[in-house]
């Protein structure tokens, strides 16, 4: 069964929206695929991670990837403004941190998925 990699980026304050987004994705996803959800973060507590892990099932695997050290290594090149945070940059790390994938889906944490996410993956 093919695996579809899907990435979120958030912090402890925003993970509640990621849970809603992920739940909507799970409800609408095709059972013909496996999905690996990666949550890129710098400070999501273990307690909060355990809440998200409760969404795992036979088709959905979930991993939390702490990008703190990577972010620290390039922070001097990242302009931070009050209207966007360091989490804005996490999506840029995907290709370098996960070279095993030729493509992936990045989805904002405050997105509700109203259809089968595999269809998006298959057309890009």
């Amino acid at each position: 069964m093919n695996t579809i990699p899907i990435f979120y980026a958030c912090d402890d304050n925003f993970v509640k929206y990621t849970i809603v987004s992920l739940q909507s994705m799970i409800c609408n996803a095709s059972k013909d695929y496996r999905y690996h959800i990666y949550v890129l973060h710098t400070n999501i507590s273990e307690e909060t991670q355990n809440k998200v892990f409760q969404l795992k099932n036979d088709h959905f695997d979930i991993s939390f990837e702490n990008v703190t050290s990577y972010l620290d290594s390039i922070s001097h090149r990242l302009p931070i403004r009050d209207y966007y945070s360091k989490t804005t940059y996490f999506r840029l790390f995907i290709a370098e941190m996960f070279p095993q994938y030729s493509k992936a889906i990045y989805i904002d944490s405050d997105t509700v998925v109203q259809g089968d996410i595999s269809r998006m993956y298959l057309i890009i």
Side-chain angles (χ1 to χ4, degrees):
M1 187 178 300
N2 291 334
T3 299
I4 298 175
I6 300 171
F7 291 83
Y8 286 96
C10 65
D11 57 24
D12 218 35
N13 297 318
F14 217 72
V15 77
K16 60 187 167 194
Y17 305 110
T18 304
I19 291 170
V20 172
S21 179
L22 185 52
Q23 184 63 50
S24 69
M25 184 187 309
I26 291 169
C27 287
N28 292 296
S30 169
K31 303 277 190 269
D32 294 334
Y33 301 96
R34 287 196 47 77
Y35 305 85
H36 194 130
I37 307 302
Y38 295 91
V39 181
L40 307 178
H41 73 98
T42 57
N43 65 344
I44 296 178
S45 69
E46 190 172 324
E47 178 184 345
T48 302
Q49 288 183 35
N50 287 332
K51 290 178 185 176
V52 178
F53 287 143
Q54 292 176 18
L55 297 173
K56 291 170 85 169
N57 65 37
D58 291 341
H59 293 277
F60 278 83
D61 221 2
I62 301 170
S63 300
F64 282 83
E65 302 291 330
N66 191 322
V67 296
T68 300
S69 60
Y70 185 80
L71 183 64
D72 289 346
S73 74
I74 63 167
S75 63
H76 63 282
R77 297 183 295 171
L78 304 176
I80 304 293
R81 306 278 189 271
D82 51 337
Y83 52 88
Y84 61 87
S85 69
K86 61 186 174 186
T87 58
T88 303
Y89 292 107
F90 292 178
R91 68 195 79 189
L92 303 177
F93 306 161
I94 295 169
E96 189 170 324
M97 290 181 66
F98 299 89
Q100 69 270 34
Y101 297 123
S102 60
K103 64 181 179 176
I105 293 176
Y106 173 83
I107 186 166
D108 285 334
S109 293
D110 59 352
T111 302
V112 173
V113 181
Q114 295 185 320
D116 176 9
I117 196 78
S118 70
R119 293 180 65 207
M120 177 186 286
Y121 181 80
L122 295 172
I123 63 168
I124 56 172

